[in-house]
Amino acid sequence: MKLQAGQKIVMIGDSITDAGRRDIEPPYGVGYVTLVRSFVTALHPELGLTWVNKGIGGDTVRHLADRWVADVLDEQPDVLTVMIGINDVWRRFGDRPLEAVPADEYQSTLVTLLRSVKDTRETALYVGSPYMIEPDRNDPMRAAIDIYVGLAREVAEEVGAVFIDVQAAFDRVLEHSESADWAHDRIHPNQPGHAVIALEFLRAFGVEVTG
């Protein structure tokens, strides 16, 4: 178990992290953040952890940079998880290509943001990969996402963060299922899809969930 008593855990990202935390289900949403918080709390109530969800739907790493001081540095987290990058790629394949974030900008911005945390306090860092729930690696967007997964891994190594390979987790379940079993659009998970993500975060935290 890597979490310690009394810690504040801030989890930041895009709509996958948001998951309704700003409207239908404040303050944690209905996604993986709530699942992770619920299992950790149920298994280790003695820890007395504080959880903060700072996901905002539609965000790219540029949006994170704009709100980093207020949503991360001012929160003074003991543990910080960041999962960003889907919109950075997705915009290129939709009707807002100018809002797509190039690979070099994505990587350099994420490194700068995470280093700013390490420069201000001792914080355990976790970087979750972007993903696409698509088994065909030749699909143009899936191929682009794979590049950003690699960049997220490099960022984690550079700043001394734990890397959480969410894409690999979905690839494992896709060996026995279809994309539609996990998300209607290959991006926004249903509850089983959020559970796939949550299990990876729990493993990264060293939390054992056994049946």
Side-chain angles (χ1 to χ4, degrees), residues 11-22 32-33 53-61 63-64 67 82-88 90-91 129-131 187-188:
M11 307 178 82
I12 194 168
D14 52 31
S15 60
I16 314 306
T17 303
D18 184 337
R21 66 100 180 171
R22 295 175 298 144
Y32 79 91
V33 173
N53 185 342
K54 290 293 185 179
I56 293 183
D59 268 12
T60 66
V61 74
H63 297 100
L64 259 60
R67 60 189 180 92
V82 181
M83 188 165 71
I84 198 72
I86 293 175
N87 292 310
D88 305 60
W90 202 1
R91 293 286 182 266
S129 76
Y131 66 85
I187 296 295
H188 295 93

Side-chain angles (χ1 to χ4, degrees), residues 65-206:
D66 289 342
R67 60 189 180 92
W68 196 253
V69 172
D71 285 0
V72 175
L73 299 183
D74 288 352
E75 288 287 344
Q76 299 186 337
D78 301 295
V79 177
L80 174 67
T81 76
V82 181
M83 188 165 71
I84 198 72
I86 293 175
N87 292 310
D88 305 60
V89 176
W90 202 1
R91 293 286 182 266
R92 190 193 319 166
F93 296 88
D95 58 358
R96 296 149 67 182
L98 295 180
E99 296 180 19
V101 179
D104 57 346
E105 181 185 349
Y106 170 79
Q107 183 174 20
S108 63
T109 301
L110 197 50
V111 166
T112 298
L113 294 178
L114 292 170
R115 279 182 174 163
S116 72
V117 178
K118 300 202 79 169
D119 288 343
T120 57
R121 64 183 285 111
E122 191 171 327
T123 301
L125 301 177
Y126 294 79
V127 175
S129 76
Y131 66 85
M132 185 178 185
I133 309 174
E134 169 56 60
D136 181 5
R137 296 180 186 231
N138 292 317
D139 177 278
M141 184 172 161
R142 170 62 203 263
I145 284 285
D146 283 345
I147 293 171
Y148 284 62
V149 172
L151 295 174
R153 184 190 301 274
E154 291 177 12
V155 168
E157 292 175 355
E158 185 169 343
V159 302
V162 175
F163 179 65
I164 303 174
D165 197 339
V166 178
Q167 182 64 68
F170 278 116
D171 288 342
R172 287 194 296 272
V173 299
L174 284 171
E175 293 177 5
H176 311 284
S177 59
E178 304 295 328
S179 296
D181 295 331
W182 311 102
H184 71 282
D185 60 359
R186 302 184 297 175
I187 296 295
H188 295 93
N190 54 24
Q191 277 297 294
H194 274 289
V196 170
I197 300 171
L199 285 171
E200 291 306 299
F201 276 75
L202 289 168
R203 292 185 184 105
F205 288 156

